[in-house]
Amino acid sequence: MTISNRRTFIRSAGAAMLAAPAVVAASSVRAQGVTQWRMQALWDGGTTPMAYEERFCARVEQLSGGTLQIRPFSGGQIVPAAQSFDAVRGGAFEMMKTFDGYTAGRIAAHGFSSTVPFGFPQGDQFESWFYYRGGLEMAQRSYAPAGLTYIAPTTYGEEPIHSRVEIRRIADLSGLKGRFVGLAAAVMADFGVAVSPLPTGEVYSALDRGLIDIADRGDARANFEEGIQEVAPYLLLPGVHQPSTATSYVANTAAYDRLDEQQRVALEVAAREISVSLRQDLIAADGEYLGKFAEAGVEIIRFDPEDVIEGRQRAVDSWARAAGDDALAVEMMESQKDMMRELGLL
C-alpha cells in the first residue's frame, strides 16, 4: 500500500537539520513476530494527557494484532525533555510525543506545525489543515532530513493566558514579562512582551515570585490542577497566543522502516483516534474548569472579537518574520493563510 493510499485508508477509517542517517534503535526488538518500542511523552505521570498516551500505546498493540508493543514513559523519564529530539534521532529510543514548537529555533517550519498565534481558532480547523491541505506531508518533510518520521498530530483547542495583572485589551500586553515558547515567543515579543521561554514546571513559581506577569502553560484543567489560580488572579480568553495546538508523534526513521504495513497503519489510525478523543475531552472539561477558576476567585476576561481580528492582521507580519527565507516554513505559512482566508479569518 502506498503512503497516499494509506492516508486515504486512514481518513476513511475514521479517521535545516543535518541529514545524517539515524541508527536503528538498540532497544527495538523483533522476536517471534513482536516489535517492542519505547516512547517518551511530554506529560507528567498521572495527568490526563499522559493517560491518553497510554491509551494510544494500547490501541496500537490492538490494531497491530499484538505485533507492535510500545511502552510509554512520562516526560523526562528517559532523557530530559529538551534532549528527546536528538535521543530519538540517535536511536536511544524509538519514538517521542513532542511539541514542534520546542524545535522551532532549529527548524523554522516547526513554528507552523505546532501552534500559530492568532491562527486557527479551533482544533478541528488545524487538524483539517494537516489531513486535507497538505500539512501532514509538509510536517513529514520537516523531520525527514534528521532521520525522523513524523507520524501524526494530536490537535486541540486554545490554552488560556494567566495573569497577575489586569488586562482588558491585547494592547495591554505590551510592556509585560511573559512565558511563551515556539512561534508564540516570537509573536508575543512583537506585541511588546518581554518573553522568557521557561519550562512548564517553572511557571507556577515564576508567577508566584513575580518574575513574569503573564504565562502560557497548558489547558484549563491542567493549569487548575497545578494550582495556577493561587498565583494568577486573571485568566484571559481567547488564548490568542495558542488558539489551537498540535503535538506530534515522531519516530526514528530506521526503526519505522522496519515495521510492516499493518503496524504503520496501526500507528496512524491510533494517533487520529487519540487526537479526536483528547480534543473532545478537553472541550468538555473547559467549561467545568473555567467554573472552578471563577469559584476560586479568578476573574475571567474575554478579549473583544474585533480586538482579536485586528491582532491577527498584525500577527501576519510576525509570522512572515519568523518564517524568514526558509522555503518550507513559508510554504506552511502560505497554505495556512489560504485556508484562513477561505474560512473568513483573514
Side-chain angles (χ1 to χ4, degrees), residues 162 228-230 232-235 290 293-300:
H162 297 275
I228 297 299
Q229 66 279 6
E230 301 166 357
Y234 301 98
L235 184 153
L290 289 177
F293 272 107
E295 290 170 5
V298 173
E299 182 179 357
I300 297 172

Side-chain angles (χ1 to χ4, degrees), residues 62-280:
Q62 181 184 43
L63 289 170
S64 69
T67 67
L68 179 54
Q69 299 173 356
I70 303 175
R71 182 180 176 188
F73 292 83
S74 58
Q77 197 171 357
I78 304 178
V79 298
Q83 298 177 20
S84 292
F85 184 100
D86 291 318
V88 176
R89 181 180 181 228
F93 49 99
E94 294 78 17
M95 189 173 181
M96 62 181 170
K97 184 61 175 296
T98 188
F99 175 65
D100 290 359
Y102 294 152
T103 45
R106 302 166 68 175
I107 302 173
H110 286 182
F112 297 92
S113 59
S114 50
T115 186
V116 179
F118 294 91
F120 294 114
Q122 298 175 20
D124 277 337
Q125 293 169 338
F126 202 9
E127 185 165 288
S128 121
W129 174 77
F130 276 101
Y131 283 98
Y132 298 101
R133 291 302 181 90
L136 190 59
E137 288 73 20
M138 285 185 266
Q140 289 168 339
R141 283 158 49 199
S142 76
Y143 274 99
L148 294 167
T149 295
Y150 184 103
I151 294 169
T154 299
T155 65
Y156 53 92
E158 68 182 351
E159 295 187 356
I161 296 174
H162 297 275
S163 179
R164 299 176 69 249
V165 300
E166 183 177 348
I167 297 170
R168 298 291 171 183
R169 301 171 304 146
I170 291 172
D172 296 337
L173 298 171
S174 182
L176 299 179
K177 298 172 292 184
R179 183 268 181 184
F180 300 96
V181 297
L183 185 55
V187 174
M188 289 295 108
D190 284 347
F191 277 68
V193 177
V195 174
S196 297
L198 299 171
T200 301
E202 296 180 17
V203 170
Y204 180 102
S205 61
L207 284 168
D208 187 35
R209 296 163 60 194
L211 300 178
I212 54 175
D213 304 303
I214 56 176
D216 155 54
R217 184 188 178 278
D219 64 90
R221 174 169 54 195
N223 294 350
F224 187 85
E225 290 174 347
E226 180 65 15
I228 297 299
Q229 66 279 6
E230 301 166 357
V231 294
Y234 301 98
L235 184 153
L236 312 177
L237 293 174
V240 292
H241 69 294
Q242 195 160 333
S244 57
T245 303
T247 56
S248 50
Y249 292 105
V250 177
N252 173 286
T253 296
Y256 180 83
D257 286 347
R258 291 166 62 91
L259 300 180
D260 63 35
E261 193 65 21
Q262 181 179 357
Q263 292 168 330
R264 294 178 187 180
V265 170
L267 286 169
E268 295 163 3
V269 172
R272 188 78 183 271
E273 290 178 358
I274 290 301
S275 181
V276 174
S277 297
L278 177 60
R279 183 165 65 253
Q280 292 177 350

Side-chain angles (χ1 to χ4, degrees), residues 28-39:
S28 182
V29 179
R30 186 115 191 206
Q32 297 180 344
V34 176
T35 298
Q36 296 175 341
W37 277 14
R38 296 189 299 165
M39 178 185 79

